[in-house]
Amino acid sequence: MRELYRKYPKELQVFSVSLDEKPEEWKKAMAEEKMEWMQLRCAGEMLRDVAMGYRLSSIPYLVLLNSEGKVMCATNSVDDVINQLESALKN
């Protein structure tokens, strides 16, 4: 994701949603991963709602939305996201 984030800085907005229940674990992971984009944490009841809404089935789970907020791709494969994104940018 870091490579895509840097390759398409104007076309792609990235944010990560952590499923860590404990804020300390989330903060530790953020420090270790050094992700350059927005970081969010989803836990408890909110996690259930998000998981059901986006049909989360594994971690990591990648969702590519278009400019209208519609899901273009939902997968655990970065290659799928790359292909979908590059195809959309060609059009």
Side-chain angles (χ1 to χ4, degrees):
M1 289 310 303
R2 184 170 280 118
E3 184 178 323
L4 278 178
Y5 179 76
R6 290 177 178 167
K7 185 175 181 179
Y8 300 107
K10 294 181 182 174
E11 300 88 348
L12 183 65
Q13 293 181 2
V14 175
F15 66 93
S16 295
V17 179
S18 170
L19 306 180
D20 289 310
E21 287 290 332
K22 298 178 182 175
E24 304 80 34
E25 292 175 4
W26 175 54
K27 289 175 184 176
K28 179 182 176 193
M30 286 191 326
E32 289 173 358
E33 295 291 328
K34 295 179 178 40
M35 290 184 259
E36 305 161 39
W37 48 84
M38 184 185 302
Q39 304 294 312
L40 306 169
R41 187 174 73 89
C42 182
E45 197 169 308
M46 186 188 328
L47 172 58
R48 185 191 73 229
D49 294 342
V50 170
M52 287 175 38
Y54 285 98
R55 297 183 181 146
L56 299 180
S57 58
S58 63
I59 298 171
Y61 190 73
L62 309 166
V63 179
L64 181 64
L65 305 173
N66 66 13
S67 59
E68 290 88 37
K70 296 186 181 189
V71 176
M72 294 175 55
C73 178
T75 181
N76 59 355
S77 167
V78 174
D79 290 336
D80 290 347
V81 172
I82 291 169
N83 292 335
Q84 194 68 246
L85 177 62
E86 290 181 345
S87 175
L89 291 174
K90 286 179 186 174
N91 297 329

